[in-house]
Short mmCIF file of all heavy atoms in Angstrom, two decimals:
data_model
loop_
_atom_site.label_atom_id
_atom_site.label_comp_id
_atom_site.label_asym_id
_atom_site.label_seq_id
_atom_site.Cartn_x
_atom_site.Cartn_y
_atom_site.Cartn_z
N TRP E 34 14.29 42.28 -23.61
CA TRP E 34 15.02 43.49 -23.22
C TRP E 34 16.38 43.54 -23.91
O TRP E 34 16.83 44.61 -24.34
CB TRP E 34 15.15 43.56 -21.70
CG TRP E 34 15.66 44.87 -21.20
CD1 TRP E 34 15.34 46.12 -21.68
CD2 TRP E 34 16.57 45.08 -20.13
NE1 TRP E 34 15.99 47.07 -20.96
CE2 TRP E 34 16.75 46.47 -20.01
CE3 TRP E 34 17.23 44.23 -19.27
CZ2 TRP E 34 17.58 47.02 -19.04
CZ3 TRP E 34 18.05 44.79 -18.30
CH2 TRP E 34 18.22 46.16 -18.19
N VAL E 37 15.91 44.56 -27.57
CA VAL E 37 15.55 45.97 -27.69
C VAL E 37 16.74 46.87 -27.37
O VAL E 37 17.05 47.79 -28.12
CB VAL E 37 14.34 46.31 -26.80
CG1 VAL E 37 14.12 47.81 -26.70
CG2 VAL E 37 13.09 45.64 -27.33
N SER E 38 17.41 46.61 -26.24
CA SER E 38 18.49 47.52 -25.84
C SER E 38 19.76 47.31 -26.65
O SER E 38 20.32 48.26 -27.18
CB SER E 38 18.77 47.37 -24.35
OG SER E 38 19.21 46.06 -24.06
N PHE E 41 18.45 46.66 -31.03
CA PHE E 41 17.94 47.85 -31.71
C PHE E 41 18.80 49.08 -31.44
O PHE E 41 18.95 49.94 -32.29
CB PHE E 41 16.50 48.14 -31.29
CG PHE E 41 15.50 47.15 -31.78
CD1 PHE E 41 14.21 47.16 -31.29
CD2 PHE E 41 15.82 46.20 -32.74
CE1 PHE E 41 13.26 46.25 -31.74
CE2 PHE E 41 14.88 45.28 -33.19
CZ PHE E 41 13.60 45.32 -32.68
N LEU E 59 15.70 56.30 -35.12
CA LEU E 59 15.05 55.31 -34.27
C LEU E 59 16.05 54.49 -33.45
O LEU E 59 15.79 54.17 -32.29
CB LEU E 59 14.18 54.37 -35.12
CG LEU E 59 13.30 53.37 -34.38
CD1 LEU E 59 12.33 54.10 -33.45
CD2 LEU E 59 12.55 52.50 -35.36
N GLY E 60 17.22 54.20 -34.00
CA GLY E 60 18.24 53.47 -33.26
C GLY E 60 18.72 54.24 -32.05
O GLY E 60 18.89 53.68 -30.96
N PHE E 61 18.95 55.54 -32.21
CA PHE E 61 19.36 56.38 -31.09
C PHE E 61 18.23 56.46 -30.06
O PHE E 61 18.48 56.41 -28.85
CB PHE E 61 19.72 57.79 -31.58
CG PHE E 61 20.16 58.71 -30.49
CD1 PHE E 61 21.44 58.61 -29.96
CD2 PHE E 61 19.30 59.66 -29.98
CE1 PHE E 61 21.85 59.45 -28.94
CE2 PHE E 61 19.70 60.50 -28.97
CZ PHE E 61 20.98 60.40 -28.44
N TRP E 62 16.99 56.56 -30.53
CA TRP E 62 15.86 56.62 -29.62
C TRP E 62 15.78 55.35 -28.77
O TRP E 62 15.56 55.42 -27.56
CB TRP E 62 14.55 56.82 -30.38
CG TRP E 62 13.38 56.95 -29.48
CD1 TRP E 62 12.93 58.07 -28.86
CD2 TRP E 62 12.50 55.89 -29.07
NE1 TRP E 62 11.83 57.78 -28.09
CE2 TRP E 62 11.55 56.45 -28.19
CE3 TRP E 62 12.43 54.53 -29.35
CZ2 TRP E 62 10.53 55.70 -27.61
CZ3 TRP E 62 11.42 53.79 -28.77
CH2 TRP E 62 10.50 54.37 -27.92
N PHE E 63 15.97 54.19 -29.40
CA PHE E 63 15.97 52.93 -28.63
C PHE E 63 17.09 52.91 -27.61
O PHE E 63 16.92 52.43 -26.50
CB PHE E 63 16.07 51.72 -29.56
CG PHE E 63 14.74 51.18 -29.99
CD1 PHE E 63 14.36 51.24 -31.31
CD2 PHE E 63 13.88 50.60 -29.07
CE1 PHE E 63 13.12 50.75 -31.71
CE2 PHE E 63 12.65 50.10 -29.46
CZ PHE E 63 12.28 50.17 -30.78
N ALA E 64 18.27 53.40 -28.00
CA ALA E 64 19.41 53.40 -27.08
C ALA E 64 19.16 54.33 -25.89
O ALA E 64 19.58 54.04 -24.77
CB ALA E 64 20.68 53.82 -27.82
N GLN E 65 18.48 55.44 -26.11
CA GLN E 65 18.30 56.43 -25.06
C GLN E 65 16.98 56.28 -24.29
O GLN E 65 16.95 56.46 -23.09
CB GLN E 65 18.37 57.85 -25.65
CG GLN E 65 19.72 58.17 -26.23
CD GLN E 65 20.81 58.07 -25.18
OE1 GLN E 65 20.70 58.62 -24.10
NE2 GLN E 65 21.86 57.33 -25.49
N GLN E 66 15.89 55.99 -24.98
CA GLN E 66 14.58 55.96 -24.34
C GLN E 66 13.87 54.62 -24.46
O GLN E 66 13.25 54.17 -23.52
CB GLN E 66 13.66 57.04 -24.96
CG GLN E 66 14.17 58.44 -24.84
CD GLN E 66 14.23 58.91 -23.41
OE1 GLN E 66 13.40 58.54 -22.59
NE2 GLN E 66 15.21 59.73 -23.10
N GLY E 67 13.95 54.03 -25.63
CA GLY E 67 13.18 52.82 -25.92
C GLY E 67 13.48 51.66 -25.00
O GLY E 67 12.57 50.99 -24.51
N SER E 68 14.76 51.43 -24.71
CA SER E 68 15.09 50.29 -23.85
C SER E 68 14.58 50.50 -22.43
O SER E 68 14.16 49.56 -21.77
CB SER E 68 16.60 50.03 -23.86
OG SER E 68 17.30 51.14 -23.35
N ILE E 69 14.60 51.74 -21.97
CA ILE E 69 14.08 52.04 -20.62
C ILE E 69 12.57 51.83 -20.58
O ILE E 69 12.04 51.23 -19.63
CB ILE E 69 14.45 53.47 -20.20
CG1 ILE E 69 15.97 53.60 -20.10
CG2 ILE E 69 13.77 53.85 -18.89
CD1 ILE E 69 16.47 55.01 -19.96
N LEU E 70 11.88 52.31 -21.60
CA LEU E 70 10.42 52.14 -21.63
C LEU E 70 10.03 50.68 -21.75
O LEU E 70 9.09 50.22 -21.09
CB LEU E 70 9.82 52.96 -22.78
CG LEU E 70 9.94 54.48 -22.65
CD1 LEU E 70 9.42 55.16 -23.89
CD2 LEU E 70 9.23 54.98 -21.41
N VAL E 71 10.75 49.94 -22.58
CA VAL E 71 10.47 48.51 -22.70
C VAL E 71 10.74 47.81 -21.38
O VAL E 71 9.99 46.93 -20.96
CB VAL E 71 11.29 47.88 -23.85
CG1 VAL E 71 11.22 46.37 -23.82
CG2 VAL E 71 10.79 48.40 -25.19
N PHE E 72 11.81 48.20 -20.69
CA PHE E 72 12.11 47.63 -19.38
C PHE E 72 10.97 47.88 -18.39
O PHE E 72 10.56 46.97 -17.66
CB PHE E 72 13.42 48.21 -18.85
CG PHE E 72 13.84 47.65 -17.52
CD1 PHE E 72 14.19 46.32 -17.40
CD2 PHE E 72 13.89 48.45 -16.40
CE1 PHE E 72 14.58 45.79 -16.17
CE2 PHE E 72 14.27 47.94 -15.17
CZ PHE E 72 14.62 46.61 -15.06
N LEU E 73 10.42 49.09 -18.38
CA LEU E 73 9.30 49.39 -17.49
C LEU E 73 8.07 48.57 -17.84
O LEU E 73 7.38 48.05 -16.95
CB LEU E 73 8.97 50.88 -17.53
CG LEU E 73 10.00 51.80 -16.90
CD1 LEU E 73 9.64 53.26 -17.17
CD2 LEU E 73 10.09 51.54 -15.40
N VAL E 74 7.79 48.42 -19.12
CA VAL E 74 6.66 47.59 -19.55
C VAL E 74 6.88 46.14 -19.13
O VAL E 74 5.95 45.48 -18.64
CB VAL E 74 6.45 47.70 -21.08
CG1 VAL E 74 5.49 46.65 -21.59
CG2 VAL E 74 5.96 49.09 -21.44
#
Side-chain angles (χ1 to χ4, degrees):
W34 191 39
V37 169
S38 62
F41 291 169
L59 187 59
F61 181 77
W62 182 85
F63 269 114
Q65 296 300 311
Q66 301 294 326
S68 62
I69 296 168
L70 294 175
V71 169
F72 182 65
L73 290 173
V74 168

